[in-house]
Amino acid sequence: INHILTNMEQRGLIERTRSTTDKRVVYVELYGRQYPLCLTVLAHEKICKEWGGLEQMAKAMDAEGEQAIPITAKLLHILMEGGAARVKALAWMEGIDAPELPKVPAAETLSGLLVLEDVSMLQNNVFEAIRASRAATVEAEPPKEGKNAETTQ
């Protein structure tokens, strides 16, 4: 897999990075454009509708050869939509303008762009995004006043 990733990066097809502001978002660069990937609740619902759940989706991702392209493209599309929705929602919650994101390509468009060499790398990115999205983290500040203030300090 590392060999495939290195080849694709050398050809300038992909680059993956983690978001510095949101640990649940993984960015994939595809043909010079960066797309956020995230397993949001809506993305999870779409995966359940398409494959019946995450386990069944993972089994479908084991498809061989050209059968893997449309499956990877569909899942990538779903996670791109989830990533874009999360980035925009977080910006709204923070009261700032959302960053400009590229339009999420349709699954059919992604299928037309991908070749077999791309599939393994993109599947890696997809699974990294799912793991990051499912990570359990809680950010909270202790109360400064009130009856719980003393017990949290």
Side-chain angles (χ1 to χ4, degrees):
I1 290 176
N2 283 335
H3 178 68
I4 293 168
L5 290 171
T6 302
N7 285 341
M8 289 188 73
E9 285 178 328
Q10 287 174 346
R11 292 186 354 227
L13 297 177
I14 62 100
E15 181 181 325
R16 83 180 154 181
T17 55
R18 276 282 179 103
S19 171
T20 56
T21 58
D22 185 356
K23 294 176 184 172
R24 295 183 188 272
V25 175
V26 172
Y27 282 86
V28 62
E29 186 171 315
L30 189 60
Y31 294 97
R33 294 189 175 128
Q34 275 205 330
Y35 298 92
L37 305 180
C38 188
L39 179 66
T40 60
V41 171
L42 184 58
H44 187 264
E45 288 174 0
K46 288 181 179 183
I47 288 169
C48 288
K49 184 176 179 182
E50 182 72 26
W51 290 287
L54 290 175
E55 275 188 43
Q56 293 85 342
M57 178 273 306
K59 287 177 186 173
M61 295 285 281
D62 286 338
E64 298 290 327
E66 291 182 8
Q67 293 176 345
I69 292 174
I71 295 167
T72 302
K74 179 74 173 181
L75 184 56
L76 190 59
H77 171 78
I78 290 170
L79 294 176
M80 284 177 171
E81 285 183 329
R86 181 164 175 91
V87 167
K88 290 174 185 175
L90 287 174
W92 179 82
M93 293 291 292
E94 294 172 6
I96 60 174
D97 291 333
E100 191 166 326
L101 299 171
K103 183 179 177 188
V104 174
E108 295 79 20
T109 302
L110 289 168
S111 287
L113 286 173
L114 300 178
V115 295
L116 284 175
E117 291 176 337
D118 300 338
V119 171
S120 292
M121 184 284 313
L122 289 170
Q123 286 179 346
N124 247 6
N125 288 335
V126 161
F127 287 123
E128 182 181 347
I130 290 171
R131 279 191 304 275
S133 300
R134 297 180 76 195
T137 58
V138 177
E139 294 179 25
E141 288 186 35
K144 293 178 176 46
E145 296 179 13
K147 71 177 189 177
N148 291 330
E150 289 179 16
T151 59
T152 58
Q153 293 181 4

